Amino acid sequence: MKCERCGAQLVEGHVFCDKCGAEVRYVPDFNVLEEELLSPIVIQPTEKTEDNDSSTTDQHGRLKKNILRLAVVAIVVTVCVAGYSYMQSYGRKFNQGVRAEARGDYAQAVRYFDEALNKNHTVEASLKMGDDYLKMEDYSEAEACYIRALETAHEQSLDPTDIYAAMLNLYQITSDTDKIADIYAGIDKKTKKSLNKQFIKPPSFSKESGEYQNDIKLKLKTKKNRQIYYTLDNTMPQSHNGILYEGPIILESGQTTVTACCVDEDGTWGLPARNTYEINYIPPAMPSASPSSGTFHQPMSVALFSEDEGDIYYTWSGSIPTSNSARYTGPVFIPEGNNVLSAVVIDKHGLTSEVLRCNYVYLP
């Protein structure tokens, strides 16, 4: 039998032409069946002859030929049924999908794989279908196929490593760091080890999570050819909301959660790292004075000191100093009479120390 498309000789039992890949149509020639196979099934009456033995012999011969022809008909029917069954089978639909992929016709491949899955739910067909959706940039459908493949793998107790690898690839393309982290947290050690190369490690932090009393200059570090993106609002950094790290992050009063991810030179997103910092400023300590008090008959100056960073402000009126009061820049002379010096330290955050009060009497 020859191929209808290219004329090449077909190999018996093959349902596709080995030369051009065209399907072999096992459709019998009904004229041949009618004339050559079916008509002899009914034994025609034997004409009477003088030689009865010869007539009997002819009848036996025709009977044998009819039985042989019936066997041929049975074989042809069986082959036709088998061919039709294969043409409607999971295997044929799957192979059609593979060939459509090879041609770059991913939409057609998806249709074939969907038909295959209607015949039999397999991990392989779901993965193939997801990969084709991914190539067409239909990420939601690709994810749905991978999730279905994962469910099938769990139902059939199959190794899910390849499925997780496909899902990681999808989430790295879409920079969905939240789901990358979910996969990493949900898989066992063996699977993590198998997928280790797909997980890009998070950046390192110069400061550990915790409570601090002053501002922090937080530094992030990763390999030379990678970029770092971060957020400060407790969300996962992604392409649409991540801040590109270009220098130390200044953290001030309150609680801040820093979440950071690395992105390699191919644009692949890695695992996130997250630290939380709580900064509660402490007011500066009260300043000190020298001399701290006394009665003087000669002109005398007072020096003020602070152990903490900040400016010293003072008054001689007994009122509490503010940032609008006189700022201490060097020793101040004690005014004539009985005086109370009031002094405070105000730091860069606007926090004020307790008030220092010293009594000085100057009687010239």
Side-chain angles (χ1 to χ4, degrees), residues 180-192:
I180 293 173
D182 287 344
I183 288 179
Y184 189 81
I187 59 179
D188 55 35
K189 291 182 179 179
K190 181 180 178 181
T191 307
K192 281 180 184 176

Side-chain angles (χ1 to χ4, degrees), residues 122-127 144-154 163:
T122 67
V123 169
E124 188 176 20
S126 293
L127 271 177
C145 291
Y146 294 148
I147 290 174
R148 180 171 57 190
L150 192 61
E151 291 172 350
T152 303
H154 288 325
I163 306 170

